[in-house]
Amino acid sequence: MIRHLSLLAFLSGAMMAQEPLPLVIAHRGASGYLPEHTLAAKAYAHALGVDFIEQDIVLSKDGVPVVMHDIEIETVTDVARRFPGRNRANGHYYAIDFTLAELRQLRLTERMDPATGKAVYPDRFPLWKSAFGLPTLEEELELIAGLNRSTGRRTGIYPELKSPGWHRREGKDLSAIVLPILARHGYRSRSDPFFLQCFEFEEIKRLRGELGFKGRLVQLIGRHGGSEPDASGKTGGARDNAMLLTRDGLASIAAVADGIGPAFSHLVSTDPAGGVRINEVVDLAHRAGLVVHPYTFRADALPRFVADAEDLLGLLFVNAQVDGVFADHPDRVLRYLQRMRE
Ligand code: CA
């Protein structure tokens, strides 16, 4: 099933580019091995030799960008214990309701279900062990720059603006705060080693237009709503996502962005017999001039349509010829690509 020859041709062509291809992006750091978005998870990802390390960005009450996956913080911290009663009426605790000084008092842990207290991925780093805290965006950029300097590598960053529409409704302009910080740390143009990503197409257009952003932009495609499902603001729906993946939709993305970040499920179709095949999305995106970086490779939570991790990686890199992948277990992807190159 795996067409090694076509992959070899693809890889040897790609290796002439400035960045290796396909790109391996550490999703929330090496989050399969250490609690997501901790500096430890980022340092470990860097040591594994990934090409890019991801940062999800939300704002504190005093407007400081911090690295966190959700605008709500109870799934990876002890906020409910440390600041009881500081939740909103819907039960959630929001980063934006806490100053940076308060957020710094939180203890970070492996992702859990706050209702049951159980780990979401039971075989990963144990809950509430060791000592992890919440990094600001600048602290993480300094970590990666420092590691690049001490190792001689040029590992890139892959920041995501989380729910900018929601932040705006809360009175804060996430993009306008983050762009100058990225620029100050050397991330400005398409030749700098970074991609900026967002689920909200309106914000992608605003970044390129009103905010004059000159770096590479990736339009994320949500599985359900226009943003990843969160408890607070939906911005669009499944129909908007389907629209973005049509020929016209991809052309409208290509007018302002450089790539798309779809879910794996966006790239496959099932036939009536129950078989799975790669659909036309990657091909249409490539024809529109967009790179395709789907999410998320998790060795311990594979999609139903593959038999094992190897099967998924073959489907992605050989059959679909994607340009990169977000991975919780990036070493598994790096090893697969290394074997294909040998
Ligand atoms: Ca993300």
Side-chain angles (χ1 to χ4, degrees), residues 8 18 26 40 45-46 74 96 127 131 185-186 192 218-219 264 269 277 290 292 296 310 318 335 338 340:
L8 274 179
Q18 193 189 7
H46 194 282
E74 67 271 12
I96 208 164
L127 290 177
H185 287 263
D192 296 321
V218 168
Q219 171 67 49
F264 293 153
S269 305
R277 64 171 183 83
L290 295 164
V292 181
T296 304
E310 202 80 352
V318 182
R335 272 209 302 276
Q338 186 57 43
M340 292 295 104

Side-chain angles (χ1 to χ4, degrees), residues 27 54 56 69 160 162 197:
H27 183 245
E54 192 203 25
D56 290 309
H69 181 261
E160 178 185 345
K162 301 298 288 196
Q197 45 168 342

